[in-house]
Amino acid sequence: MSNQTIESLEKRVQELESQIEDYQKQLIHAQKMSSVGALASSITHEFNNILTTVINYAKLGLRHKEEERREKAFTKILSAGQRAAKITTGMLSYARGNEGRQEPVDLQLLVKSVIALVEKDLSMNRVNLHTHFESNPEVVLNPNQIQQVLVNLIVNARQAMPSGGRIDLAVRINPESNMAEVIVRDSGAGIPSEQLQHIFDQFYTTKEADENGQGGTGLGLSLAKEVMEAHKGRIRVESAVGKGTAFTLKFPLSTAAIEAA
């Protein structure tokens, strides 16, 4: 084989690798848009409630001159504004690009930013969220990518409980493995063992897309696995039919966190 042929093949390989990288970015963006679509209705509803609260208490403050009632109105308006800011901050963070930059992050705070995005959606779908923050480990990660993984897992859990149920969300440090863990556990129908071994395969799905096109793409879990591997972490799943499913994200602790332990 001539040098010219080898150079041509190497150039073609580089072109294909670049195309694969572009397709990967498109898949990640498509999955993110799917998650945003699943949350859009509940977030819009929440902002409508916030605006109603602000307007009503502004009217109350203007109508009444008593200091006590005016202070109550201002307090309610401030609380509603802070709630709106919390949601907006979460959405802006979630909407950022998927650049590969990783940084030290308080894992508990990151999980709380995700909760701000999903809690109204869960409430509207009769899903009770219970949090268990055993620690606040520092982990080096890409916040946007891990937010996306968590949102996908929580939306999947909610969709697995169409009649409502419970999600337990935990953050902890596993001293045996020296890793931080985030656990998303639902009380849904569970996944049969013959399907469980395939759920991280690309385009494999156990559900059909609904009328809004949500669910059924088979992208979320395969991308979650790739993201976790890029963070030198792991994603594990446990499930039993009739008892629910639990996903565990495992992250290596940052050097600072290890030294502080």
Side-chain angles (χ1 to χ4, degrees), residues 226-255:
E226 291 185 20
V227 167
M228 291 304 299
E229 289 176 348
H231 284 79
K232 297 182 174 61
R234 300 189 297 274
I235 179 170
R236 295 290 182 265
V237 59
E238 298 177 19
S239 188
V241 175
K243 295 183 178 180
T245 302
F247 285 91
T248 301
L249 306 180
K250 299 174 178 284
F251 302 90
L253 291 170
S254 69
T255 303

Side-chain angles (χ1 to χ4, degrees), residues 13-25:
V13 168
Q14 291 176 351
E15 291 174 351
L16 290 173
E17 288 177 344
S18 178
Q19 289 178 9
I20 290 172
E21 185 177 348
D22 289 339
Y23 289 144
Q24 181 76 351
K25 290 179 180 178

Side-chain angles (χ1 to χ4, degrees), residues 25 33 62 71 73 75 77-78 112 126 156 178 210 213 215 220 238 247:
K25 290 179 180 178
M33 290 302 98
L62 290 172
E71 184 173 343
T75 300
I77 291 172
L78 177 61
K112 288 181 177 178
R126 303 178 303 282
N156 283 350
N178 216 24
D210 60 22
E238 298 177 19
F247 285 91

Side-chain angles (χ1 to χ4, degrees), residues 99-105 139-143 145-146 226-233 251-252:
E99 65 275 5
R101 184 171 58 87
Q102 298 183 8
E103 59 193 56
V105 173
V139 177
V140 177
L141 50 75
N142 180 311
Q145 291 180 351
I146 301 305
E226 291 185 20
V227 167
M228 291 304 299
E229 289 176 348
H231 284 79
K232 297 182 174 61
F251 302 90

